[in-house]
């Protein structure tokens, strides 16, 4: 198996980020670090100009708004990473170190080796699949105008040039050389959006899956503990378990803190995107190509939301299961002092660890709620038409 978070690290390195946060130079933001943020923010101008220019055409406005919202969400993700990049790299190193411990069969992690190994395989697979999904969506937008121009030339006809994204620049962007410059600019923005989405979202689901595996490891250690009569061995083992539990809770809270702005933006902006894309889907039922385009775009944004909801759900569920593991163990064989320590673990485990931002909680229940809202919007728009 490859190195943990390797794909996400490649995406970050493509955006000029390095795991060199120990020195003073590494902690300072350079022009390379913020150039991608400036590029994505600058894309808002031609996008909003397009909306203003076509304000009387609801179909064009809603088509552009879905891209505007995606761009806004990327700005939030880039800003979040830049503000917390030291914490991101520290968490990457921490999980890699924990994986090395489990692979080395160190006693503290030995019983959860299978959990951690399988979790890392799953995280690696989902990271690649998500990156591929984002990349194909971006590639579809980029190739659309090229294929259209090629088809027109093949049939010997003329057609109007189109940019990959609905944008309106303050100069002639449909004639050379303006068209080529704008096309290249759009490609660069799309590359940055795909790279950061693959990195930031991919890291979240990978962190969440690894946390779940380590919570399962902890549960296994507690349930299978025989509580030996040797007091020194018992105290050493109990101290190790308590420290492990505290570490996992600390990492969970750190993950929540790092991703609070992203989770908030994901829920708010996805809710807005659902509205405009559903409108596009319903109003383009007669066009197969447009229907496929907006259906794939809708699936892409819902996949982003699902990543956060699923990650939050598994962390919440497994953190609560530690309480059950203690109750199922041979706790009655432990000494009174050990039982006191176990009771503290129970108390800590009874408070669920939630990935939340304000009143938005990353959970599958909220994801299903947004899906139901989307279905209700389809019915409402059809009835109005």
């Amino acid at each position: 198996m490859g190195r943990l978070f390797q794909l996400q690290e490649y995406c970050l390195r493509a955006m000029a980020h390095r795991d060199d946060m120990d020195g003073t130079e590494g902690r300072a933001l350079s022009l390379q670090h913020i150039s991608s943020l400036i590029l994505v923010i600058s894309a808002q101008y031609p996008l909003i100009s397009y909306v203003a220019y076509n304000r009387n055409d609801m179909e064009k406005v809603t088509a552009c708004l879905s891209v505007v919202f995606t761009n806004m969400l990327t700005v939030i993700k880039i800003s979040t990473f830049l503000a917390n990049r030291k914490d991101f790299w520290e968490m990457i190193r921490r999980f890699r170190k924990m994986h090395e411990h489990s692979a080395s069969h160190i006693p503290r992690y030995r019983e959860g080796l299978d959990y951690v190994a399988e979790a890392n395989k799953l995280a690696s697979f989902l990271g690649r699949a998500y990156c591929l999904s984002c990349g194909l969506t971006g590639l579809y937008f980029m190739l659309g105008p090229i294929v259209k121009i090629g088809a027109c030339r093949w049939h010997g006809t003329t057609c109007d040039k189109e940019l990959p994204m609905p944008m309106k620049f303050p100069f002639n962007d449909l004639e050379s050389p303006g068209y080529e410059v704008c096309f290249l600019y759009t490609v660069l923005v799309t590359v940055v959006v795909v790279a950061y989405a693959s990195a930031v979202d991919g890291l979240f689901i990978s962190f969440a899956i690894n946390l779940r595996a380590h919570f399962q490891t902890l549960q296994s250690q507690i349930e299978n503990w025989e509580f030996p009569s040797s007091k020194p061995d018992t105290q050493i083992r109990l101290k190790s378990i308590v420290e492990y539990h505290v570490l996992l809770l600390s990492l969970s809270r750190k993950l929540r803190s790092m991703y609070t702005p992203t989770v908030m933006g994901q829920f708010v902006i996805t809710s807005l995107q659902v509205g405009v894309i559903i409108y596009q889907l319903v109003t383009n039922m007669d066009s197969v190509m447009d229907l496929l385009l907006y259906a794939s775009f809708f699936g892409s944004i819902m996949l982003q939301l699902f990543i956060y909801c699923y990650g939050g759900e598994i962390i919440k569920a497994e953190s609560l299961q530690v309480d059950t593991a203690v109750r199922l163990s041979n706790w009655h064989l432990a000494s009174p002092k050990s039982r006191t320590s176990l009771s503290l673990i129970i108390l800590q485990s009874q408070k669920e660890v939630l990935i939340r931002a304000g009143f938005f909680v990353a959970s599958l229940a909220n994801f299903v709620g947004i899906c139901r809202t989307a279905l209700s919007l389809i019915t409402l728009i059809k009835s109005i038409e």
Side-chain angles (χ1 to χ4, degrees):
M1 187 183 67
R3 195 183 187 201
L4 281 183
F5 318 118
Q6 189 172 53
L7 177 61
Q8 291 82 6
E9 185 176 358
Y10 286 156
C11 292
L12 292 175
R13 288 183 180 276
M15 296 296 105
H17 293 286
R18 299 290 185 273
D19 184 8
D20 56 356
M21 299 303 298
D22 296 330
T24 304
E25 297 80 1
R27 291 193 292 269
L29 280 174
S30 67
L31 181 60
Q32 285 183 315
H33 290 146
I34 63 175
S35 59
S36 54
L37 177 60
I38 294 174
L39 181 66
V40 176
I41 291 176
S42 69
Q44 289 295 91
Y45 174 77
L47 288 169
I48 295 175
S49 296
Y50 184 91
V51 173
Y53 184 78
N54 297 282
R55 58 187 177 276
N56 295 323
D57 189 333
M58 184 58 67
E59 184 174 343
K60 290 184 178 180
V61 168
T62 52
C64 184
L65 283 177
S66 59
V67 181
V68 171
F69 292 145
T70 299
N71 202 60
M72 289 173 58
L73 186 56
T74 304
V75 170
I76 294 174
K77 291 177 181 179
I78 297 175
S79 303
T80 299
F81 181 81
L82 292 179
N84 301 282
R85 66 195 191 285
K86 183 178 180 180
D87 293 332
F88 273 92
W89 288 116
E90 284 181 352
M91 187 165 282
I92 288 173
R93 289 196 296 266
R94 166 62 71 176
F95 278 114
R96 282 174 174 170
K97 184 177 180 180
M98 293 168 72
H99 174 64
E100 290 172 1
H101 276 288
S102 65
S104 301
H105 290 242
I106 290 179
R108 180 177 176 180
Y109 297 93
R110 181 181 302 162
E111 296 169 6
L113 178 61
D114 292 339
Y115 292 124
V116 176
E118 290 302 318
N120 290 327
K121 290 179 182 178
L122 176 61
S124 178
F125 170 77
L126 290 178
R128 291 195 300 270
Y130 180 69
C131 181
L132 181 62
S133 172
C134 293
L136 289 177
T137 301
L139 186 63
Y140 184 88
F141 277 100
M142 295 301 104
L143 291 180
I146 297 176
V147 172
K148 183 177 179 180
I149 293 174
C152 290
R153 291 183 176 179
W154 177 265
H155 293 95
T157 59
T158 60
C159 60
D160 295 332
K161 293 181 179 179
E162 294 181 0
L163 290 173
M165 301 294 176
M167 292 180 170
K168 179 67 178 176
F169 290 88
F171 52 85
N172 190 346
D173 52 19
L174 297 180
E175 299 293 338
S176 298
Y179 178 77
E180 287 75 11
V181 172
C182 294
F183 196 99
L184 179 60
Y185 170 81
T186 308
V187 170
L188 291 176
V189 172
T190 302
V191 169
V192 172
V193 170
V194 170
Y196 269 102
S198 301
V200 177
D201 296 343
L203 282 175
F204 178 84
I205 191 61
S206 297
F207 289 152
I209 290 175
N210 272 273
L211 276 172
R212 178 183 66 175
H214 285 287
F215 272 119
Q216 291 173 335
T217 299
L218 177 63
Q219 296 163 28
S220 176
Q221 289 181 2
I222 294 173
E223 289 182 21
N224 298 324
W225 192 10
E226 299 295 337
F227 293 95
S229 56
S230 174
K231 188 173 181 179
D233 291 344
T234 300
Q235 292 303 315
I236 292 174
R237 182 70 178 275
L238 186 58
K239 181 182 178 182
S240 174
I241 287 176
V242 172
E243 289 177 349
Y244 194 15
H245 188 217
V246 171
L247 172 63
L248 296 182
L249 292 177
S250 175
L251 289 174
S252 300
R253 296 189 188 100
K254 187 174 183 179
L255 181 66
R256 177 177 59 194
S257 176
M258 288 162 48
Y259 276 91
T260 294
T262 302
V263 171
M264 173 66 79
Q266 193 73 59
F267 272 93
V268 173
I269 293 178
T270 299
S271 300
L272 297 174
Q273 285 179 311
V274 165
V276 295
I277 294 179
I278 289 298
Y279 178 85
Q280 287 291 321
L281 284 171
V282 174
T283 56
N284 288 280
M285 288 291 187
D286 297 331
S287 174
V288 176
M289 292 303 297
D290 288 340
L291 189 62
L292 289 175
L293 171 63
Y294 291 111
S296 63
F297 196 32
F298 178 76
S300 178
I301 65 169
M302 293 305 291
L303 177 60
Q304 289 185 41
L305 181 62
F306 178 78
I307 281 176
Y308 287 93
C309 291
Y310 176 71
E313 185 72 26
I314 60 178
I315 291 175
K316 179 184 72 173
E318 295 302 333
S319 65
L320 291 174
Q321 285 299 314
V322 176
D323 174 20
T324 305
V326 175
R327 298 176 188 275
L328 293 176
S329 68
N330 297 320
W331 60 268
H332 55 280
L333 301 178
S335 64
K337 185 176 180 180
S338 297
R339 292 180 190 178
T340 302
S341 298
L342 291 173
S343 65
L344 292 176
I345 294 178
I346 290 176
L347 288 175
Q348 287 182 311
S349 303
Q350 288 177 340
K351 185 178 181 181
E352 56 189 7
V353 178
L354 298 176
I355 304 298
R356 65 185 306 158
F359 52 84
F360 291 109
V361 178
S363 65
L364 291 179
N366 285 333
F367 177 79
V368 172
I370 292 179
C371 291
R372 288 175 177 172
T373 302
L375 293 176
S376 300
L377 283 174
I378 293 176
T379 305
L380 176 62
I381 295 173
K382 280 189 173 182
S383 64
I384 293 175
E385 288 188 338

